[in-house]
Amino acid sequence: MDNISVSTTDVRIERHANQLSRQLKLLREKLFPPLSQKTLRTFTSGEAAQMIGVSDGYLRQLSLDGKGPQPDVSVNGRRSYTLAQINELRHHMARIKPKDALSYLPWRRPGEKLQTVAVTNFKGGSAKTTTTLYLAQYLALNGYRVLAIDLDPQASLSSMLGVQPEFDLADGDTLYGAIRYDASRRSLKDVVRKTYFDGLDLVPGNLELMEFEHETPRALGDRQRTGEVFFRRVGVAISEVEASYDVVVIDCPPQLGYLTLGAVCAATSLLITIHPQMVDVASMSQFLLMTSDLLSVVRKAGGDLQHDFIKYVVTRHEPFDAPQSQIVALLRNLFSDDVLTATILKSTAIADAGLTKQSLYEIERGQVRRSTYDRALESVNAANGEVLAGIHKAWGRT
């Protein structure tokens, strides 16, 4: 009887999965025709000038003089630039003003190591993927070369960045392809793909990442196996592409498995997301205890656990909710400066943008209520700015 029940449940779940998969494919084909690609909006000349660090009038004069990329000009004379053009202008400014090159083109310099930020939490629902997405896009908008790695088999980050894991990826097209134990292992250079967001590349994720969780115990038990131990494999893969990037941002899966441990060992810094609810904080307590125990074992086995900074970021925060305020105060009292000063607000603007697989950085300001948009974006920028300040400190920049 039990076997019949299990079989029936198994068949039912498989049927549901196939039904949902077909429906998602139909919906995707309706919203995004087969040859369509996700694109990023253009930016007004005022936005472009602010991003580059020059005046709007200066950009206008450059355009009139025929220097740098030429903006798109609307019928009413408004100029707009793509992000690729804005980055081209950054290079142009760095060339003509070499003394101020770092302010225009903030790429890491010789001696400044690649920064790898692992965003992690044991519990789902803490806005981990959203935090990863917004940080990666924020850094790219500010002129850095960014690689986002989706280590979550659910692959929400990949979907937000224009990749449909179920349809767009072949075997080995995730990080698993670069860290697997067999002869099919690939270089990470062959896995990285460009996104529609200039300056932001992606190593996508999908369900095949779970193979690493299944294969690692067998590899640990195989005395004849050669190659890097599991907790070094993510770092070794990243080292193959480090010359091309300033910052790597990793979206870790919501469990403490071999992938997460590999990401933590590869990281130069950690961001731990916290939803300020008592049940989430209690879950995080268990997560930290388990992480400490496992990392202690990894360290004794030779894992590098030196991190430039470890920061807790409060997400989905409702500042006028009294219990949440008490929890945030408790966290600040316990962890002091290890908690980011800025919190990421719970906002309908973030949720509404996410419905169309976009971020606040991608939508036009007028698409949602402006006061809500401005408040949410201000909280995201403040948190990301603190993370960037930590990266600069690690590089020795003032």
Side-chain angles (χ1 to χ4, degrees):
M1 184 68 179
D2 287 343
N3 289 337
I4 294 175
S5 177
V6 171
S7 175
T8 302
T9 300
D10 188 45
V11 170
R12 183 185 299 180
I13 290 176
E14 181 182 9
R15 184 174 72 251
H16 290 172
N18 290 332
Q19 288 173 333
L20 183 58
S21 178
R22 285 193 296 270
Q23 195 59 45
L24 285 173
K25 187 174 183 180
L26 290 172
L27 182 61
R28 180 174 184 261
E29 289 174 351
K30 181 179 179 181
L31 295 175
F32 306 103
L35 298 180
S36 73
Q37 296 291 327
K38 189 176 181 184
T39 58
L40 181 63
R41 70 176 178 92
T42 57
F43 297 85
T44 67
S45 58
E47 289 175 317
Q50 185 176 23
M51 291 163 66
I52 298 165
V54 297
S55 69
D56 191 9
Y58 185 86
L59 276 192
R60 177 182 292 276
Q61 193 59 51
L62 278 181
S63 176
L64 292 174
D65 293 343
K67 297 178 180 178
Q70 294 302 298
D72 180 65
V73 182
S74 67
V75 291
N76 57 7
R78 292 184 177 178
R79 293 166 295 124
S80 61
Y81 295 85
T82 66
L83 182 55
Q85 288 178 317
I86 291 170
N87 285 330
E88 190 177 338
L89 284 164
R90 286 181 166 123
H91 282 276
H92 176 76
M93 295 303 301
R95 283 194 300 271
I96 65 175
K97 295 185 177 182
K99 290 184 178 180
D100 300 321
L102 192 60
S103 64
Y104 295 117
L105 195 64
W107 292 4
R108 64 190 177 98
R109 300 302 192 256
E112 295 177 341
K113 67 181 180 182
L114 175 73
Q115 290 295 302
T116 301
V117 183
V119 184
T120 184
N121 192 306
F122 180 66
K123 192 175 187 301
S126 63
K128 181 176 52 62
T129 297
T130 303
T131 301
T132 305
L133 174 71
Y134 276 78
L135 176 60
Q137 291 186 342
Y138 172 87
L139 292 169
L141 288 171
N142 279 275
Y144 296 90
R145 300 169 299 168
V146 185
L147 175 64
I149 299 179
D150 192 350
L151 270 191
D152 190 342
Q154 298 176 81
S156 298
L157 179 66
S158 301
S159 296
M160 292 294 288
L161 287 174
V163 175
Q164 192 68 24
E166 195 173 358
F167 310 114
D168 297 341
L169 302 181
D171 290 344
D173 280 351
T174 71
L175 186 72
Y176 171 69
I179 62 175
R180 61 193 301 166
Y181 295 95
D182 59 23
S184 297
R185 186 173 178 181
R186 311 166 62 188
S187 168
L188 191 62
K189 293 178 181 178
D190 299 328
V191 179
V192 170
R193 57 178 64 197
K194 298 290 182 184
T195 72
Y196 61 94
F197 212 102
D198 194 68
L200 173 55
D201 294 347
L202 173 68
V203 175
N206 69 7
L207 287 173
E208 79 167 9
L209 287 165
M210 291 303 299
E211 294 298 319
F212 188 72
E213 303 289 352
H214 300 150
E215 290 180 1
T216 296
R218 291 196 292 269
L220 289 172
D222 185 355
R223 296 179 182 272
Q224 304 301 316
R225 190 180 293 275
T226 58
E228 304 87 8
V229 70
F230 79 90
F231 55 78
R232 289 203 182 100
R233 294 176 97 79
V234 175
V236 169
I238 291 173
S239 70
E240 297 171 359
V241 298
E242 68 175 302
S244 301
Y245 300 101
D246 306 305
V247 184
V248 175
V249 186
I250 306 177
D251 184 21
C252 295
Q255 68 264 350
L256 199 54
Y258 296 113
L259 285 169
T260 299
L261 288 173
V264 169
C265 289
T268 58
S269 55
L270 302 179
L271 274 187
I272 301 173
T273 56
I274 307 173
H275 180 216
Q277 296 278 6
M278 187 53 70
V279 65
D280 294 85
V281 173
S283 174
M284 189 188 75
S285 174
Q286 295 302 307
F287 165 72
L288 294 177
L289 287 170
M290 287 188 291
T291 302
S292 174
D293 289 342
L294 287 172
L295 291 183
S296 176
V297 174
V298 168
R299 178 174 52 79
K300 290 175 182 177
D304 181 8
L305 297 178
Q306 297 294 321
H307 294 103
D308 293 323
F309 61 86
I310 299 174
K311 295 289 185 181
Y312 299 90
V313 52
V314 176
T315 62
R316 297 173 58 206
H317 183 209
E318 300 173 78
F320 299 109
D321 182 292
Q324 285 200 19
S325 297
Q326 291 175 351
I327 291 173
V328 172
L330 171 66
L331 293 170
R332 295 196 189 286
N333 184 54
L334 291 174
F335 304 143
S336 58
D337 292 341
D338 288 336
V339 181
L340 293 186
T341 301
T343 64
I344 299 178
L345 301 181
K346 181 178 181 179
S347 173
T348 56
I350 294 175
D352 289 348
L355 289 174
T356 53
K357 294 186 178 181
Q358 291 179 297
S359 73
L360 295 181
Y361 294 127
E362 299 178 70
I363 66 173
E364 299 283 354
R365 184 167 175 254
Q367 285 183 235
V368 296
R369 187 177 176 183
R370 291 198 172 191
S371 59
T372 305
Y373 173 93
D374 291 342
R375 190 162 52 248
L377 189 60
E378 182 181 359
S379 77
V380 169
N381 283 340
N384 287 334
E386 287 187 55
V387 177
L388 180 55
I391 291 171
H392 282 178
K393 184 178 180 181
W395 282 338
R397 301 185 187 181
T398 55

